[in-house]
Structure formats: C-alpha cells, structure tokens
Amino acid sequence: MTQPAVEAEIAILGAGIVGAACAWHLARRGRRVVLIDRAMPTAGTSGACDGYVSISSKKPGLVMAMAAESKRLYPEVVADIGRDVDYRTCGGLLLVEDPVTLDQLEERAAGVRSYGFDMHHLDRAAMLALEPNLSPALHGAFRCPGEAIVSPYLMALGQVARAVDRGAATLWEAEPTGFEMAGDRILSVDTSRGRVRAEQFVFAAGVWSGDLGRMLGLDLPVIPRRGELVVTARTPGIATHYLMSANYLLAKADPDAALRSSDPLVRIGHGFCLEVNALGQCIIGSTRAFVGYDRRTTPEGVAAIVREAVRRLPALARVPMLRSFAGLRPYVPDKLPIVGRSGRIPNLLVATGHEGDGICLSVVTGDIIADLATGRAPRLDVAALTPDRFPPLDATVAAKSARAA
Ligand SMILES: Cc1cc2nc3c(=O)[nH]c(=O)nc-3n(C[C@H](O)[C@H](O)[C@H](O)COP(=O)(O)OP(=O)(O)OC[C@H]3O[C@@H](n4cnc5c(N)ncnc54)[C@H](O)[C@@H]3O)c2cc1C
C-alpha cells in the first residue's frame, strides 16, 4: 500500500481565492488542513481578474445575501491576515446611462438596502460633484458607499500564508491522478507528488472543477467564461469609487443576449467597469465570452473596453494603456455557484462556480464550507447551491479514474 505523503483532516484541491478562503476559515477553527494545487496559488482566475467586493452587482436573492455576508466578514479576515492586501471601502457607483433603466436600478437598490447596506440615487449634479471626471452625458448614478475593492491575488496569498501560520500544509505542482475509495467515501487522493489521505475533501478548482468531478462520476458543470481587462498607467484620483454601468449587469445576467443581438458590443458581452488600484492604475473591463480555456485578449475586446471607458470618463483619453489580460470566470449554466456537501460522496464538499463574483463571495463561501466540514449550521441556507442538483455521470466515466479500495 502506498504511504501517504501527507495526512490531514481536510484536503482542499485548488488554491485560488475560494480554496484559500476555505483553508483560512478551517485553519482558524483549529482544523488540520492541506491545500493542494496542480500549479500554485492564484495560477487560475484569481490571478487574472478585478477585485470588486460588490453587493449591487448581484441579483437580489441568495447570491446578494452571500455578498452582503461576505462584505461584513471581509474586514475581519483582512485584519487577521496582517499584511496589506489593498482592501479599501471606496464605495461603488452604478452609472445610469439610459433613464429607462432607472426603475430597474431602483429595484436593485431596494434589494441592497434590504440586506442592510445603503444604496441611493444621485442625480447628474450630485454624481459629478463626487466624480467630476465622469461624462456629463450620463444621467446620474446609484451609490453604494459600503462597497470595497481588494487585490484578489494578495487576498488569496494572504489567506494561504495565514492558514500556514496556523499549521496548514501545502502541496504545489501536485496534479491529482486518482482517488482511492472505500464504498462511497474518499480515502485519499493520489497526486504527482504523492498520496494525500484525509477525512474530508473540498473541490475548489474553479473552471477546472469539472475535471475533478469526472474522476468520481460527478457532474460539476463549470464552464470557462472569458473576461478581458485593460490596465492603464498611473492616474490617481481619476475616480475615487469603483464604477460600473448598467450594461455590465445585463452582459453578466443574460449570456444569450450575445447570440441574439446584432450590436457588436452586446455580441462580445461588453459591460463597462473600472477600479483604480493601490498603485493608481485603472483596471478597466470587461467582456464575457465562451471560448473554452483560451486566455488571450482580442483586439476587438480591448478596443471596445478602451473606447467605452473614454466615453464615460473622457479624461482617460490622455492616459496611456499599459497592458491587457484575460481570465476565465467559472460559469454554471443555472447561474448559481456550487457550494455544499455531496450527497453521493458524503466526505466531499464542493466550493466552485462563482462566475464574476468569486472574489467577493470567497470569504462567505469559506465560512460556509468550514461550518459544513465541522458539523455546524451555516449562516445562510445554501441548499439551493448543492452539488447534487446535477445528475451523476455515467458510471463508466468514474470507473476510469477512481479505484476501489
Ligand atoms: C475579468 C474578470 C474580472 C472579475 N472581476 C471580479 C470582481 O471584480 N469581483 C469578484 O468577486 N469576482 C470577479 N471575478 C471572478 C473571480 O475572479 C472568480 O470567481 C474567482 O477568481 C474564482 O476563484 P476560484 O478559487 O474558484 O478559482 P481559481 O482562482 O481559478 O483557482 C482554481 C485553482 O485550482 C487549481 N486547479 C485546477 N485544476 C486542479 C486540479 N485538478 N487539482 C488541484 N488544483 C487544481 C488551479 O491551478 C487554480 O489555482 C472576475 C473574473 C474575471 C475573469
């Protein structure tokens, strides 16, 4: 019998921001954790994205409730990390570009307020008083002063480091190759760096979660949805809030719009958003497209991002663009993350599929997973997020990867 390289109470597979948050929460509760990544922390989407800790960009309901809980938890986690992760409560502005959308945005604001956060309408003059570089052609904005931004990779790395301080083990460049099972329970995972034995396992592999699921006959339908971003030279003060337009919400919520529309912006899933990072650079987004695992940016996407940003923030026309990059949002067709314990493999927990919200939702997801792993009732009812909502894969698919003990 192969000797395990590592033994732990809980093995987490995937060290993006979601796996890192699970590790932080579990280690803080005194659990012996091993965090495994087939590459290294932030090699995936958490190293190629923006960092809005936004409530107003979520649809009212469970996901907005999770965002509100995450926002409440964030300062405590940031304080515990004890190193700078560029977390700042800058407030968010949802721009009104067409007065027809006012009612819809007011409804969104009412949703945010129902979770205990302020969100109110600003007319054009009030918006320009707060953000004088915005275009006077805009019709105003909705302001959510409690929203924040963070550096996604510093936040993920900080949680990993803090979990390690509390005794967590790590295994990088460890590709899982198979699972040793006893009945319906996982005993251990074999990796390219040895066997890891644990009492419970957490799958948190972002857009690659489906690969892990397939090894056990589980369908975890996480599809990569590429998003492109542009980074400018330093221009501190060009905006103090993070900015987002209503068409961003549309592009996020309605993937089929890209197929139906003849508008080139809708076809590439464009939605304007902008944050000024701690260096004073603007990170401007974004697009949404299903192009498999292709992480290249496109001339069409970058041109649209820059042009549409200058339209809303004309002062950007004089700011040099430094670079562009793209990341893969973990999209689930029913538009809900997958968070919960598997009914089919009872010592498996799944934490994935957060699409464009994983930076914000990671903290509450880690808290929920830690509660489930330690037998406590989670702070929110996440039954709707269960991995069991997808039927199992054909048994022959599983048999190829998992070996009976
Ligand atoms: C352009 C863009 C902008 C975004 N902006 C925001 C935002 O402002 N706010 C927000 O909340 N969210 C945002 N998101 C979404 C957010 O980035 C993601 O939801 C989040 O990063 C997903 O984190 P994760 O830990 O699930 O996945 P990842 O960060 O991809 O981590 C998965 C990890 O698993 C590892 N892995 C893969 N396969 C295996 C395996 N078989 N075994 C072990 N490890 C494996 C990978 O190497 C990787 O390190 C944005 C995304 C994009 C693309």
Side-chain angles (χ1 to χ4, degrees), residues 58-83:
K58 319 293 182 270
K59 217 171 113 186
L62 179 54
V63 174
M64 189 181 270
M66 288 174 77
E69 287 299 316
S70 239
K71 176 64 191 71
R72 286 194 187 96
L73 287 169
Y74 241 97
E76 182 194 337
V77 181
V78 167
D80 178 73
I81 288 172
R83 51 162 87 175

Side-chain angles (χ1 to χ4, degrees), residues 144-195:
C144 187
E147 293 183 317
I149 57 174
V150 71
S151 161
Y153 52 91
L154 292 180
M155 183 69 189
L157 295 172
Q159 288 176 99
V160 173
R162 204 64 190 96
V164 169
D165 289 346
R166 293 191 165 110
T170 58
L171 205 56
W172 308 145
E173 298 183 330
E175 177 88 44
T177 53
F179 290 90
E180 184 192 17
M181 305 291 294
D184 59 0
R185 296 181 72 81
I186 306 172
L187 285 183
S188 63
V189 57
D190 281 331
T191 78
S192 52
R193 297 201 48 210
R195 178 166 286 187

Side-chain angles (χ1 to χ4, degrees), residues 220-223 255 290 330-336 338 353 389-390:
L220 300 175
V222 183
I223 301 167
F290 296 106
Y331 172 86
V332 181
D334 67 8
K335 303 188 186 72
L336 287 175
I338 311 175
R389 67 190 196 265
F390 310 106

Side-chain angles (χ1 to χ4, degrees), residues 371-393:
D371 278 340
L372 293 172
T374 54
R376 282 172 32 174
R379 62 178 62 226
L380 290 168
D381 177 0
V382 289
L385 309 184
T386 174
D388 297 342
R389 67 190 196 265
F390 310 106
L393 293 170

Side-chain angles (χ1 to χ4, degrees), residues 169-381:
T170 58
L171 205 56
W172 308 145
E173 298 183 330
E175 177 88 44
T177 53
F179 290 90
E180 184 192 17
M181 305 291 294
D184 59 0
R185 296 181 72 81
I186 306 172
L187 285 183
S188 63
V189 57
D190 281 331
T191 78
S192 52
R193 297 201 48 210
R195 178 166 286 187
V196 178
R197 192 181 284 276
E199 291 159 24
Q200 301 191 71
F201 291 78
V202 181
F203 285 179
V207 294
W208 300 275
S209 298
D211 298 344
L212 289 172
R214 266 188 298 281
M215 292 169 89
L216 296 174
L218 299 179
D219 185 19
L220 300 175
V222 183
I223 301 167
R225 194 180 191 190
R226 183 178 66 192
E228 296 162 274
L229 294 169
V230 167
V231 184
T232 71
R234 292 177 189 208
T235 175
I238 197 163
T240 53
H241 294 76
Y242 87 70
L243 310 173
M244 192 175 278
S245 67
N247 71 347
Y248 179 95
L249 302 182
L250 187 71
K252 182 178 176 188
D254 184 7
D256 296 336
L259 304 173
R260 290 194 307 266
S261 177
S262 55
D263 179 337
L265 282 179
V266 178
R267 288 191 71 80
I268 60 169
H270 176 268
F272 166 74
C273 57
L274 180 146
E275 65 173 84
V276 181
N277 69 13
L279 295 173
Q281 301 166 324
C282 296
I283 304 184
I284 315 172
S286 73
T287 55
R288 278 183 152 81
F290 296 106
V291 288
Y293 289 85
D294 184 349
R295 271 175 63 163
R296 289 173 297 183
T297 54
T298 63
E300 189 191 15
V302 170
I305 288 169
V306 172
R307 187 179 62 243
E308 292 302 309
V310 171
R311 227 160 54 74
R312 288 152 177 102
L313 209 60
L316 272 177
R318 296 185 296 278
V319 180
M321 178 186 133
L322 288 185
R323 64 188 173 96
S324 63
F325 64 96
L328 302 172
R329 300 180 186 92
Y331 172 86
V332 181
D334 67 8
K335 303 188 186 72
L336 287 175
I338 311 175
V339 179
R341 187 178 289 285
S342 166
R344 300 183 182 108
I345 301 175
N347 66 338
L348 173 66
L349 294 145
V350 179
T352 188
H354 297 81
E355 212 266 358
D357 301 323
I359 305 308
C360 175
L361 301 184
S362 56
V363 168
V364 74
T365 298
D367 182 67
I368 290 166
I369 291 292
D371 278 340
L372 293 172
T374 54
R376 282 172 32 174
R379 62 178 62 226
L380 290 168
D381 177 0

Side-chain angles (χ1 to χ4, degrees), residues 16-18 37-38 45-46 49-50 52 176 355-360:
I17 200 162
V18 173
D37 200 286
R38 75 163 186 201
T45 309
S46 307
C49 59
D50 306 286
Y52 305 107
E355 212 266 358
D357 301 323
I359 305 308
C360 175

